[in-house]
Amino acid sequence: MRQINFDPYLLISAIILTALGLTILASVTPSLFGTQLFFALVGLGLYFLFSNLDYRVFRSLGTLIYVFSVIALVLTLVIGVTSRGATRWIQIGTFGLQFSELLKPFIVCALAFFFVKLETHRFKLLIWLALLFPILFLIYRQPDLGGTIVYLFGFGLMLLLSGIDWRLFVVFGLSIMVSLPLVWQVIAEYQRKRIINFLNPSHDVLGTGYNAAQSLITVGSGMLFGMGLGRGTQSHLYFLPEVHTDFVVASLAEEMGFVGSAAVLLVVFVLLCRLAVILGRTKERFPRIILAGFIGMLFIQAFINIGMNIGVVPVTGITLPFV
């Protein structure tokens, strides 16, 4: 009997989240349902393909993956399509590819390879950070501050689980706090406005704070069981922007209520817990560092997306994984 090479808990969790996403998409933006279903099936096929690959193949391809990733991110800035002030997509036919999203697992594998390879090197941390910097810089320049934070958090967890002295993280955290005034000067004007609106929600509800205000109204209108599929007024009348991407959780909360929202949170929690269990059982250094990166990225991306939908973090262009 052929051995199963994939974890059923991870697969079922991903399918449930994808199904919820497809359901709400069919309600609020039915014109995109076919495309999303197609890519969901492609993703499922790739899942089974990669589940049958020996993960050690990524160690042998680490350098190639890293070089390709940097080239792809550079090409995005050079020939990418600019939409709403951001250059994050390369148009190929009728599809737009966002390499900063597609390359996440591969970049994690590549950097894990360098971590293992440089394990005994005297300056391994400096070299690794030097390899990390171009990735973060190219994503930030798109500009994509949210994506940069997701990558940074994932890489930070990789560092932590790789055995780096925890006191370095304390120093790094203090350095960030001290440099906040400088960061405020560096970030874009629209990013400053989003932070101001987060700190003072009533500052400009008809302008830069409109998205956040409408998201809160949409979430609240769903109450316990929601208005029902196809009956959400905020999303269907387009008071809520980006109903199928950034604010898909708000759309789901409006039509499925607290019950539907709680189901999403529960499944995301199960997915992360299962990854953590697998991490705890993994002894080899290379896959442990990879798992740390995956967990870090999935957690912070889900936290930021759900958080901005309910007003606990500033609005940023981050979607909810699978949904």
Side-chain angles (χ1 to χ4, degrees):
M1 185 175 179
R2 191 171 182 269
Q3 182 181 0
I4 296 176
N5 291 321
F6 60 86
D7 188 286
Y9 295 97
L10 296 180
L11 178 60
I12 292 171
S13 297
I15 288 176
I16 292 173
L17 289 173
T18 303
L20 286 170
L22 286 168
T23 300
I24 198 65
L25 185 68
S27 174
V28 299
T29 319
S31 62
L32 296 177
F33 177 81
T35 302
Q36 183 73 355
L37 178 62
F38 169 75
F39 281 114
L41 294 174
V42 169
L44 185 64
L46 290 174
Y47 176 87
F48 286 112
L49 172 64
F50 281 97
S51 68
N52 284 282
L53 288 179
D54 189 330
Y55 66 86
R56 283 168 290 197
V57 71
F58 295 103
R59 186 156 53 191
S60 62
L61 297 173
T63 302
L64 182 63
I65 292 172
Y66 178 83
V67 172
F68 174 81
S69 300
V70 172
I71 292 173
L73 292 174
V74 170
L75 284 176
T76 300
L77 292 176
V78 175
I79 64 172
V81 177
T82 301
S83 176
R84 301 182 184 178
T87 308
R88 302 175 187 174
W89 300 269
I90 290 181
Q91 197 70 27
I92 299 179
T94 58
F95 297 114
L97 297 181
Q98 188 175 355
F99 278 110
S100 60
E101 288 291 326
L102 293 174
L103 292 173
K104 279 179 180 175
F106 299 102
I107 291 175
V108 166
C109 291
L111 289 174
F113 155 73
F114 285 114
F115 230 122
V116 173
K117 184 177 181 180
L118 300 168
E119 189 171 7
T120 59
H121 198 285
R122 183 179 178 183
F123 301 107
K124 64 177 180 180
L125 181 58
L126 291 177
I127 297 174
W128 197 80
L129 291 176
L131 291 167
L132 172 59
F133 177 77
I135 302 293
L136 294 177
F137 176 76
L138 290 169
I139 294 171
Y140 176 77
R141 286 291 299 166
Q142 291 181 356
D144 187 0
L145 180 60
T148 306
I149 293 172
V150 170
Y151 272 88
L152 191 59
F153 193 90
F155 296 151
L157 198 58
M158 291 170 71
L159 275 172
L160 189 61
L161 267 69
S162 67
I164 297 296
D165 193 336
W166 63 269
R167 287 172 292 189
L168 290 175
F169 285 88
V170 175
V171 172
F172 180 68
L174 292 174
S175 301
I176 291 178
M177 293 179 65
V178 171
S179 63
L180 283 178
L182 177 61
V183 173
W184 182 260
Q185 298 298 323
V186 171
I187 61 176
E189 180 63 25
Y190 77 92
Q191 293 166 341
R192 295 195 200 106
K193 290 180 179 179
R194 285 179 176 177
I195 295 173
I196 292 172
N197 285 308
F198 168 70
L199 297 174
N200 182 10
S202 61
H203 171 68
D204 188 14
V205 292
L206 296 179
T208 53
Y210 177 83
N211 292 5
Q214 291 299 318
S215 180
L216 286 175
I217 294 171
T218 306
V219 171
S221 65
M223 294 188 285
L224 185 59
F225 296 108
M227 293 183 173
L229 293 175
R231 298 180 179 179
T233 54
Q234 285 287 116
S235 53
H236 284 273
L237 296 177
Y238 299 103
F239 290 109
L240 177 70
E242 309 298 339
V243 293
H244 62 292
T245 52
D246 298 358
F247 295 103
V248 68
V249 171
S251 299
L252 187 146
E254 183 182 35
E255 300 200 350
M256 300 185 184
F258 174 79
V259 173
S261 304
V264 171
L265 287 172
L266 178 61
V267 178
V268 170
F269 178 75
V270 169
L271 179 66
L272 290 171
C273 284
R274 186 59 184 171
L275 286 171
V277 168
I278 296 172
L279 175 62
R281 294 176 179 174
T282 304
K283 304 303 178 184
E284 191 178 342
R285 191 170 174 80
F286 180 61
R288 276 182 61 84
I289 297 175
I290 290 176
L291 279 167
F294 290 170
I295 292 171
M297 285 186 171
L298 283 172
F299 168 77
I300 196 63
Q301 186 161 341
F303 176 82
I304 292 176
N305 178 266
I306 295 172
M308 75 181 193
N309 274 262
I310 59 176
V312 298
V313 299
V315 172
T316 184
I318 287 182
T319 57
L320 182 61
F322 302 107
V323 180

